[in-house]
DNA sequence: GAGTAATCGAGACGGTACGTCGTGTCTTGAT
DNA sequence: ATCAAGACACGACGTACCGTCTCGATTACTC
């Protein structure tokens, strides 16, 4: 089941969070902007966070296609670059940063689901690498992704610093090569 | 200059973020709990974020001592474990997670300063390692810390997953050893 | 359109002006006393003055019936006595005095309307007198009412003095008889 | 005893009540405008109303010289015209209207004193008239003044109407001549 | 094509907190 | 002795959204 103007509602939601941040996102605003009554929104989503969560999942702002470049190393670089893009290029970045930072305090927003989905698709890169013999079967893909993606989050979102050129390559190299 | 009951105000503030999260933190609540009038708080801090920022700086929840175990590897493990502790052990963790997640959305809160301070102190571990010949002078300490600390943030805060035993050791190993 | 508890709101409003005067009348107080939320009051009336104005119009504190005693002189005396009563007998007097004094400062409250309404009804006394030949058609009813009613206002409200017995009769006599 | 900058304080008070009305008059504003600390004002006058009262008494806005034209009738006309001027000509009118209307709810403002002072000086007109044989000794001067001055108040302040030309003369005539 | 659910718009409402303004009190230190 | 400076508790302001509710009015599916 879905409200008749679901698409308009999601659009308004994403536009609003991108424009004014998570705190500036209001159900009332979304209702007005999407030509829907506030009640209708509450009929379908229990909270602002849930609404945003649904909008994010349904939207393609966070869409993501795992790379398949032929080599494990360059696949990894591509993965990191995708995270970079997500966190830095507007409007996706505003949405991602605002929404996911907010997710911390709002389990309903279900950041978990987003990250789990994403990891499920990133995983194939590792499976291919194992199949190709580029990676030991005992390697821990989740750990590797946490290290790499986490580095991008740290640098951009938490430290609020710009990413230097070649960050992805350097990060992957720090992992795969010996110091 | 400082309000007469600054300490009570800060205590109430930190207690309240820990208890109810950043969104549940209200100036009115802090005022009531600290036996101070709302106006007094507004006289000194322009916003909720600024108040929390000041309370954090003044508190020791985020205090941190860089390890010196004798070897680079175990220093790194210790550093990671400190991040783990910060993000998982109450009551600090509630405050840290709430505050830092909030900081992302509120520049006035200035998460940058916290992370910069922290890195300045983490850096000595790398300098010692270089001096001891355990680490090449061309290594990038900031990148390494971003990878390691970022992994902890990813796993605990963003993925909302518990940290497995030996996470710190595994993370450091993934970095320092070849796959 | 009207709020569901309009009557309670008006009652609370009038009670509060009578009790504490115009300055002591607060929207918050009215809200509490009428079991309504503050926002509801603001939804319907833009200001304290507007609220009081509406409450007055709806109430019968200021209600008034023109006398018809048979003679012009005693009609006039009766009119003056009605003004006396309005300005001195509780609880109406508290409301009337507070409200009308407030009206002077707050055009939205529109004292003009009250006085114009009242005069329109007082006028019939003069018309009857002219018809009966007791009063010249060239007499100025508004001026006469201003002199008489104004005297009561002066004495009671502005001078803050009690009205002596027979005040109405003396005032009318001062007007109609030669010195 | 008097504060050192009493004159500045009174000036600021009168200017402010003329400019913004009684409600817009604030002790804080007066303090700022007169270059005095709020505390100083409270040291000398217990309330806003008392301050305004003192300022009015001390000022010459309400100053008043009883006429002495030679005849009772024209003295009366002159008296009424003085009331007219007080209530209609700025800036005195703003002050008078705002302040005296406010006096209703604020006995401390002591409108009584103002009216009593004024009447004491108006009285001489009546005494002269009695001495000259123009007025019976049994006439009630207070009643006459209440009728005349009250009419001006009614018309201008309460009815909010402009005074027609010759109002004073007509009012006096209504009183002194038979209909 | 009519009947019956599901869905919706409109908007009033109680409620919490906001951030601001003015009140009147108080303490400290300077003149 | 008088004052400026300014912190403070307090009460109220008027506003913004929250999430809930009732009431018709539309839809749109089903028979």
């Amino acid at each position: 089941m879905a409200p008749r103007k679901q698409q308009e509602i999601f659009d308004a939601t994403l536009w609003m969070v991108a424009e004014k941040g998570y705190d500036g996102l209001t159900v009332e605003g979304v209702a007005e902007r999407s030509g829907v009554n506030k009640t209708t929104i509450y009929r379908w989503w229990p909270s602002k966070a849930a609404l945003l969560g649904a909008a994010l999942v349904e939207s393609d702002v966070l869409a993501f296609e795992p790379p398949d470049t032929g080599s494990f190393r360059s696949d990894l670089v591509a993965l990191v670059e995708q995270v970079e893009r997500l966190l830095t290029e507007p409007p996706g970045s505003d949405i991602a940063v605002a929404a996911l930072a907010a997710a911390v305090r709002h389990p309903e927003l279900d950041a978990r689901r987003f990250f789990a989905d994403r990891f499920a698709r990133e995983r194939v890169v590792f499976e291919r690498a194992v199949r190709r013999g580029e990676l030991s079967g005992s390697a821990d893909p989740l750990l590797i992704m946490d290290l790499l993606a986490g580095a991008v989050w740290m640098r951009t979102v938490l430290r609020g610093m710009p990413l230097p050129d070649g960050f992805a390559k350097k990060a992957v190299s720090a992992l795969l090569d010996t110091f």
Side-chain angles (χ1 to χ4, degrees), chain A:
Chain A
M1 292 292 120
R4 297 207 266 264
K5 298 207 194 168
Q6 188 175 80
Q7 203 48 56
E8 285 92 330
I9 294 173
F10 283 169
D11 289 351
T13 304
L14 295 175
W15 174 87
M16 207 175 175
V17 80
E19 197 75 2
K20 321 208 182 171
Y22 183 79
D23 289 356
L25 171 67
T26 67
V27 172
E28 228 151 53
V30 170
E32 191 183 3
R33 190 156 217 273
S34 59
V36 146
N37 195 274
K38 203 169 52 152
T39 326
T40 299
I41 295 182
Y42 280 109
R43 253 192 287 269
W44 293 93
W45 301 278
S47 68
K48 179 166 96 165
L51 170 62
L52 179 55
L56 284 174
V57 167
E58 225 69 357
S59 83
D60 59 346
V61 210
L62 305 177
F64 155 76
E65 208 51 50
D68 186 6
T69 61
S71 89
F72 179 51
R73 173 180 291 260
S74 53
D75 275 2
L76 275 189
V77 171
L79 282 177
V80 175
E81 281 167 350
Q82 275 170 330
V83 178
E84 286 184 8
R85 237 167 293 135
L86 175 67
L87 295 184
T88 56
E89 286 177 13
S93 66
D94 298 298
I95 297 176
V97 171
L100 297 177
V104 171
R105 304 281 338 168
H106 300 275
E108 331 84 275
L109 215 162
D110 215 353
R112 280 185 190 91
R113 187 169 127 213
F114 164 72
F115 286 107
D117 283 2
R118 190 170 181 108
F119 179 65
R121 315 185 68 187
E122 290 165 336
R123 175 163 240 148
V124 307
V125 164
F126 293 85
E127 284 158 359
R128 266 199 303 262
V130 170
R131 251 182 276 121
R132 282 195 299 244
E134 289 178 289
L135 182 68
S136 150
S138 67
D140 181 346
L142 184 60
L143 177 60
I144 293 171
M145 282 316 302
D146 282 352
L147 284 159
L148 291 173
V152 182
W153 275 86
M154 274 302 286
R155 190 63 67 90
T156 57
V157 177
L158 299 178
R159 292 202 197 281
M161 289 170 69
L163 287 171
D165 284 345
F167 182 82
K169 196 166 284 180
K170 274 187 222 152
V172 171
S173 163
L175 247 186
L176 298 187
D177 309 327
T178 333
F179 286 97

